[in-house]
Amino acid sequence: MITRTSALLQRPETPSADVTPLTLQSAWQTQLSRAIRDPRELCRRLGLDDAWLPGAERGHTLFEVRVPEAFLARMRHGDPHDPLLRQVLPLATEDESIPGYVTDPLAEAEHTPGPGLIHKYAGRVLLIASPACAVNCRYCFRRHFPYGDNSPSRNQWERSLETLRDDPSIHEAILSGGDPLAASDRQLGWLVERLEAIPHLKRLRLHTRLPVVIPDRIDEALLGWLGTTRLQRVVVLHVNHAQEIDGAVIDACARLKRAGVTLLNQSVLLRGVNDSVEALAELSERLFEADVLPYYLHVLDPVAGAAHFDVPDEEARELVAGLRGVLPGFLMPRLVREVPGEASKTPL
Ligand SMILES: *Cc1c(COP(=O)(O)O)cnc(C)c1O
Ligand code: SF4
């Protein structure tokens, strides 16, 4: 649904090729532009003690706060340990330098044949469709990613598309980011039209957190291009805790399902968020209620500023063994790590 809103409204960040007129903004874009970006406001809105403020402000200077209202609404007021808040609240410790925690843990800079394109895995190419995210997750391995260099213009897109066209071994295009759904439907529609014209391409995959943090993102305009392409569609959501899945998320998933999309989920194993058999089991159960199958459970990438989320490998294996004891096989995520230079994710 496109709504006319005041030209004074601030636009969300969009890729440079985007030319959506200022006066036309979808409901989700308005929500995105109004996301909380001030650490003080985040603390105040959740009724946190002043003791959390200096850390939040310090962390914010390293990687800015961004939390949409729809996500904030699922957090418990007055609880600094809320599992959703913990994912987005900057802490003073982000600033500590810890051996082994680096700015580009996946060494992606080495696998970039063109701007916005990452080709590490056989048959699949990852395209950075938008440098922006709707939410800034503190544990993100891309918190230091040089997005400035990876926000392609349309001419650069044409060159990336040529790389795909020239390589018949590529069957799947993965739109990633940032969050690919932070780009406008106009831009995404344009891109998907180009992609579906490549005969050897079979699948379109999107890795996105937007349907979770702003469920209104799954609107008619999106279903217009996603629901009609000849490509088989897979959407990999990113949910870490059952509490993230409310009625609006379930409805958004139902809309995607009706449009013929296969829904999967990837999570990151995070200390203080989902590091128990109960939390992981509840997450899988809740995902299935939303018609989503668990896909990956990633161990944390050792990115500078995120060490407080670390769960050691031994503990991760024990958690997954415990999970196997309580869940049906089809609700078991695969425990994996991303190892720089490997041609697939590495099972633990
Ligand atoms: C994770 C990832 C993929 C997709 O891997 P799957 O195992 O197919 O989910 C593709 N390219 C890159 C660069 C990745 O990091
Ligand atoms: S890329 Fe994903 S994990 Fe990283 S900040 Fe964006 S939404 Fe969060």
Side-chain angles (χ1 to χ4, degrees):
M1 181 183 55
I2 304 286
T3 48
R4 240 165 237 290
T5 49
S6 160
L8 293 173
L9 280 178
Q10 211 197 329
R11 294 174 72 213
E13 287 170 38
T14 46
S16 51
D18 188 69
V19 289
T20 309
L22 279 168
T23 48
L24 283 176
Q25 211 177 32
S26 304
W28 69 268
Q29 286 174 313
T30 306
Q31 291 179 49
L32 185 53
S33 67
R34 291 180 180 166
I36 293 173
R37 287 159 193 250
D38 174 359
R40 288 185 158 267
E41 191 187 349
L42 180 63
C43 292
R44 184 182 57 77
R45 290 283 306 280
L46 286 161
L48 298 192
D49 202 276
D50 280 353
W52 294 90
L53 257 180
E57 288 189 316
R58 177 69 196 118
H60 174 72
T61 65
L62 303 170
F63 181 46
E64 69 160 15
V65 163
R66 182 172 302 187
V67 189
E69 290 286 342
F71 195 61
L72 185 95
R74 290 167 234 163
M75 299 175 190
R76 286 187 298 264
H77 191 85
D79 180 2
H81 305 294
D82 177 89
L84 277 56
L85 176 61
R86 187 167 164 85
Q87 296 176 49
V88 298
L89 178 68
L91 300 180
T93 54
E94 291 183 18
D95 187 330
E96 286 167 16
S97 146
I98 295 176
Y101 286 79
V102 297
T103 54
D104 182 12
L106 308 185
E108 283 189 331
E110 294 164 23
H111 299 274
T112 317
L117 197 93
I118 300 170
H119 190 190
K120 290 201 292 198
Y121 292 3
R124 289 148 290 174
V125 160
L126 198 141
L127 301 160
I128 306 291
S130 164
C133 283
V135 63
N136 281 347
C137 313
R138 307 316 297 177
Y139 52 83
C140 184
F141 71 97
R142 292 208 165 106
R143 55 183 285 164
H144 309 278
F145 201 68
Y147 283 121
D149 306 335
N150 282 275
S151 178
S153 68
R154 243 172 223 195
N155 280 344
Q156 288 169 325
W157 270 125
E158 294 289 8
R159 260 177 285 145
S160 295
L161 287 162
E162 218 160 285
T163 308
L164 263 72
R165 232 174 266 133
D166 290 347
D167 186 346
S169 75
I170 297 170
H171 298 304
E172 182 169 328
I174 304 175
L175 304 188
S176 183
D179 196 311
L181 291 185
S184 70
D185 291 307
R186 182 190 165 118
Q187 168 135 17
L188 291 165
W190 175 87
L191 181 58
V192 169
E193 207 174 284
R194 294 298 186 286
L195 288 171
E196 66 190 0
I198 300 173
H200 49 267
L201 216 58
K202 295 179 186 167
R203 287 184 298 275
L204 174 68
R205 191 191 322 180
L206 284 96
H207 281 210
T208 175
R209 195 147 160 67
L210 249 156
V212 180
V213 297
I214 304 181
D216 285 348
R217 177 65 185 94
I218 310 305
D219 61 7
E220 289 305 316
L222 176 137
L223 296 170
W225 57 267
L226 189 60
T228 55
T229 171
R230 71 158 181 92
L231 299 167
Q232 284 193 291
R233 289 136 287 163
V234 179
V235 169
V236 181
L237 299 173
H238 175 178
V239 182
N240 298 313
H241 194 278
Q243 195 181 311
E244 292 174 50
I245 304 174
D246 65 1
V249 173
I250 290 179
D251 290 347
C253 290
R255 292 196 287 281
L256 288 168
K257 270 303 225 230
R258 278 198 299 273
V261 174
T262 297
L263 287 173
L264 304 173
N265 182 66
Q266 56 179 344
S267 313
V268 182
L269 183 58
L270 299 166
R271 177 68 79 210
V273 174
N274 57 14
D275 56 334
S276 70
V277 172
E278 299 70 41
L280 292 170
E282 207 188 328
L283 172 60
S284 276
E285 293 279 358
R286 189 77 181 141
L287 283 166
F288 195 64
E289 283 165 26
D291 239 334
V292 182
L293 283 173
Y295 179 36
Y296 281 139
L297 176 62
H298 292 264
V299 294
L300 185 75
D301 295 311
V303 61
H308 57 288
F309 288 112
D310 185 55
V311 176
D313 284 0
E314 202 42 50
E315 190 179 336
R317 287 193 194 94
E318 278 166 20
L319 284 170
V320 169
L323 202 56
R324 202 166 282 123
V326 296
L327 284 180
F330 64 91
L331 291 186
M332 284 296 297
R334 304 156 177 79
L335 181 67
V336 293
R337 149 172 296 123
E338 205 154 327
V339 180
E342 292 292 312
S344 72
K345 313 263 187 253
T346 306
L348 250 76

